[in-house]
Amino acid sequence: MFRVLAHRGFQTSARQTALSWRTPFNLSRFTHSLPFATLEVEEVSGSQPAEVYNLVQGKWTGSSNWNTIVDPLNGEPFIKIAEVNEKEIQPFVESLSKCPKSGLHNPFKSPERYLLYGDISAKAAHMLSLPKVSDFFTRLIQRVAPKSYQQALGEVQVTQKFLANFCGDQVRFLARSFAVPGNHLGQQSHGFRWPYGPVAIITPFNFPLEIPVLQLMGALYMGNKPVLKVDSKVSIVMEQMMRLLHYCGLPVEDVDFINSDGKTMNKLLMEANPQMTLFTGSSRVADKLAIDLKGRIKLEDAGFDWKVLGPDVQEEDYVAWVCDQDAYACSGQKCSAQSILFMHENWSSTSLMSKMKDLAERRKLEDLTIGPVLTFTTEAMLEHVNKLLQISGSKVLFGGEALKNHSIPPIYGALKPTAIYVPLEEIVKDNNYELVMREIFGPFQIVTEYKQDQLPMVLNALERMHAHLTAAVEVIGNTVNGTTYAGLRARTTGAPQNHWFGPAGDPRGAGIGTPEAIKLVWSCHREIIYDIGPLEKHWEIPAST
């Protein structure tokens, strides 16, 4: 028997109202007491725009081009980004070229740097554990990637715990080697984890702190020299975090931080030729980079993530709540968000759908439990809904409408939490499958139902998917998703620091957060064979072979 398996994969009348939901408790303005911060979160506005700089060869620099980012809640231009253009990449190319392939440190070179990064992690973890610092980053995340305070705080807390996990000797433990006896006296083979040297990291908008920090620190722990690019819409968060890391002892020359458009970053990668690139983002860009970089890449790309509810009906309230969180927290803008729900027919006679509808409808813009969609417009999402409704037997379960009474700019999306029912028999048809399985990075999911004898049809639908990030199901032996939750409490979302998060079934797949993920992504295996003799007495040159 199987139960559940989950797969990864507003309008304001006054500015004071717009800020009131960001902090659940009253804190005095303490940004000036933060020794690393260069801004006051609440004061960033059209009249006081924040500025985001680049870091290269140990120096913060501007650019000839300043790109303006608009507030995703009201359209007000509120952040200026110093975006590097194609003619300004040479300092970044030179910086990476100064790092040898043997890295900034390795088991035979500057091993004291393993200890240095243990100390940096300890100090940074302590800083993020301070309420005033965690609140600073939580509110800053909310300004650029609007999500509820608790969701944004969770991102900060995962980052803090990750840093705490790699204090003291834990960084050098990542480079632990092994030895195997040789064929004769004096011979031993030793396996080492070796850095790549110059590397690149490209991360998306939806987790402005957690993804770049975890991948950046993993790269640094193993001895690499990274250039980091974060989506410009949210790069202000990581710019402030870089300043915190410098305050905690990170050598300023160890990381370059660049703001640019995709075309410029692609040119930088082609000219700098990093030994390895980590890309988190869309499958389309991932596939292009894999070709451009001749396979020297690790990917955490798109996830059309699914959940299968088995025949054992229980704990309806809990299952409904998990489904709501998986599909609609962060307005569905998680690579692990629940994209499709397969329900056993036994659930049809329960109140699961009505409870999911009630939970979805309590989400509101005022507390950002629903918010702007940063990669799809409202029109694009509604057009997708209409196309799905052309499929025989499909219907809107809830949502399917634009949000009302808001000031979200039209370049972004504003959609009510939406669920569309599509019959399983229609989903698996060749002319429908790609449409139904299209990932909409927003508050949107497909719901379908299956009978017990249709389980093979469900498994076939899962087998045909291209993205294998997360899942929630107990049909484990016939599935391949890299992060799979099984059992009654299975979910699709949640990427804490205590377990692997990443896709499976793809040799390019990257992980994040754990020692295994760091070693896989940010180091390679090097074998060194010691063969020091002695020679046998009376050794003579043998015959040619």
Side-chain angles (χ1 to χ4, degrees):
M1 300 296 284
F2 64 95
R3 296 189 180 93
V4 183
L5 171 60
H7 158 76
R8 280 241 327 182
F10 80 110
Q11 186 167 14
T12 57
S13 57
R15 180 160 182 78
Q16 290 73 18
T17 304
L19 300 178
S20 63
W21 43 259
R22 291 200 172 98
T23 310
F25 48 87
N26 186 22
L27 290 169
S28 60
R29 299 204 170 201
F30 39 62
T31 303
H32 289 310
S33 68
L34 298 181
F36 62 87
T38 61
L39 57 87
E40 294 268 8
V41 174
E42 312 297 6
E43 293 179 1
V44 177
S45 63
S47 59
Q48 291 183 266
E51 295 182 345
V52 179
Y53 293 87
N54 303 286
L55 177 68
V56 62
Q57 300 184 31
K59 296 180 180 178
W60 289 102
T61 64
S63 170
S64 61
N65 176 51
W66 289 83
N67 183 27
T68 300
I69 304 298
V70 300
D71 189 321
L73 289 175
N74 58 32
E76 182 182 57
F78 75 141
I79 300 174
K80 295 180 178 179
I81 310 288
E83 287 203 345
V84 173
N85 61 43
E86 293 184 43
K87 297 179 180 179
E88 297 172 325
I89 64 172
Q90 197 56 35
F92 294 90
V93 174
E94 293 174 357
S95 182
L96 281 186
S97 68
K98 291 177 182 178
C99 177
K101 294 178 182 177
S102 56
L104 299 177
H105 62 264
N106 61 52
F108 291 85
K109 180 172 73 174
S110 303
E112 65 276 4
R113 282 174 52 90
Y114 292 115
L115 303 182
L116 169 67
Y117 274 97
D119 292 341
I120 294 168
S121 295
K123 293 172 183 175
H126 171 70
M127 288 292 289
L128 285 182
S129 72
L130 300 175
K132 61 184 180 180
V133 177
S134 65
D135 181 72
F136 171 83
F137 281 106
T138 299
R139 292 178 295 125
L140 189 57
I141 290 168
Q142 286 189 293
R143 293 302 308 273
V144 292
K147 56 183 82 172
S148 71
Y149 189 92
Q150 194 58 42
Q151 286 286 322
L153 177 62
E155 183 177 345
V156 178
Q157 291 172 334
V158 166
T159 305
Q160 188 275 331
K161 291 176 182 176
F162 166 85
L163 292 166
N165 284 347
F166 292 97
C167 298
D169 291 319
Q170 296 305 313
V171 174
R172 69 167 145 197
F173 288 163
L174 291 170
R176 179 182 281 119
S177 60
F178 63 86
V180 176
N183 294 332
H184 51 255
L185 184 63
Q187 186 185 74
Q188 275 191 337
S189 58
H190 291 251
F192 295 92
R193 299 311 301 177
W194 213 256
Y196 290 103
V199 299
I201 304 170
I202 304 171
T203 64
F205 74 91
N206 54 332
F207 288 90
L209 185 72
E210 180 181 340
I211 294 176
V213 171
L214 271 59
Q215 294 292 14
L216 174 68
M217 297 308 290
L220 290 167
Y221 292 157
M222 300 311 295
N224 301 289
K225 164 68 181 280
V227 58
L228 170 64
K229 175 188 164 10
V230 181
D231 189 313
S232 291
K233 292 190 291 291
V234 301
S235 62
I236 190 171
V237 177
M238 198 58 203
E239 191 231 38
Q240 293 297 299
M241 186 65 193
M242 288 298 305
R243 296 179 188 275
L244 181 149
L245 291 171
H246 291 158
Y247 177 76
C248 293
L250 173 70
V252 292
E253 301 88 359
D254 278 14
V255 182
D256 294 332
F257 178 76
I258 187 171
N259 299 289
S260 73
D261 60 19
K263 184 179 178 183
T264 299
M265 188 63 191
N266 191 264
K267 183 177 176 63
L268 170 59
L269 294 175
M270 294 299 97
E271 294 194 13
N273 196 30
Q275 292 298 107
M276 216 289 290
T277 295
L278 180 282
F279 175 79
T280 306
S282 76
S283 294
R284 179 184 59 81
V285 176
D287 289 339
K288 179 186 186 305
L289 287 176
I291 295 171
D292 290 347
L293 299 174
K294 298 180 173 62
R296 296 191 308 274
I297 193 168
K298 287 290 185 182
L299 304 174
E300 187 191 331
D301 54 353
F304 188 87
D305 305 313
W306 44 263
K307 180 176 291 176
V308 178
L309 298 182
D312 299 333
V313 175
Q314 55 183 312
E315 303 292 350
E316 288 178 40
D317 287 341
Y318 182 82
V319 173
W321 174 76
V322 171
C323 288
D324 175 76
Q325 285 292 108
D326 282 346
Y328 306 124
C330 299
S331 300
Q333 295 172 103
K334 295 184 180 183
C335 49
S336 57
Q338 179 175 305
S339 303
I340 186 168
L341 175 65
F342 295 89
M343 280 192 314
H344 189 277
E345 61 181 339
N346 290 358
W347 290 89
S348 301
S349 59
T350 72
S351 57
L352 177 65
M353 278 298 110
S354 64
K355 289 179 177 179
M356 286 174 57
K357 180 176 183 289
D358 292 342
L359 290 169
E361 291 177 347
R362 73 177 183 171
R363 293 181 174 274
K364 55 193 178 197
L365 251 163
E366 287 78 7
D367 60 7
L368 290 184
T369 49
I370 192 67
V373 176
L374 301 190
T375 54
F376 280 87
T377 64
T378 306
E379 290 73 19
M381 291 186 286
L382 291 176
E383 180 183 358
H384 184 66
V385 169
N386 290 332
K387 287 181 179 179
L388 289 169
L389 294 178
Q390 301 305 308
I391 297 174
S392 176
S394 64
K395 59 184 177 182
V396 176
L397 295 176
F398 52 82
E401 301 176 354
L403 292 174
K404 297 180 173 61
N405 302 319
H406 65 82
S407 53
I408 294 171
I411 60 171
Y412 296 138
L415 185 73
K416 291 181 179 179
T418 295
I420 305 294
Y421 175 83
V422 182
L424 179 61
E425 297 84 352
E426 295 294 327
I427 289 176
V428 297
K429 290 181 179 178
D430 290 342
N431 58 330
N432 292 333
Y433 187 82
E434 293 299 326
L435 173 64
V436 174
M437 299 300 178
R438 182 190 178 196
E439 182 184 19
I440 300 298
F441 212 53
F444 181 90
Q445 68 172 319
I446 301 293
V447 176
T448 193
E449 179 186 316
Y450 70 97
K451 302 182 188 309
Q452 187 64 35
D453 61 0
Q454 290 179 313
L455 181 58
M457 192 183 298
V458 173
L459 294 176
N460 177 259
L462 302 181
E463 180 71 18
R464 291 166 64 184
M465 291 183 186
H466 301 297
H468 302 293
L469 184 54
T470 65
V473 65
E474 284 188 12
V475 194
I476 295 174
N478 291 307
T479 54
V480 71
N481 301 76
T483 304
T484 301
Y485 299 85
L488 173 64
R489 301 185 68 173
R491 53 185 179 167
T492 66
T493 58
Q497 72 296 329
N498 63 303
H499 69 63
W500 166 282
F501 186 87
D506 186 339
R508 305 169 302 172
I512 189 171
T514 63
E516 293 76 18
I518 292 171
K519 287 184 279 189
L520 171 76
V521 174
W522 294 116
S523 69
C524 57
H525 181 87
R526 184 183 186 188
E527 194 83 3
I528 298 176
I529 298 90
Y530 291 97
D531 203 346
I532 61 176
L535 290 174
E536 298 174 3
K537 287 185 178 181
H538 312 300
W539 182 87
E540 295 180 358
I541 297 176
S544 298
T545 61

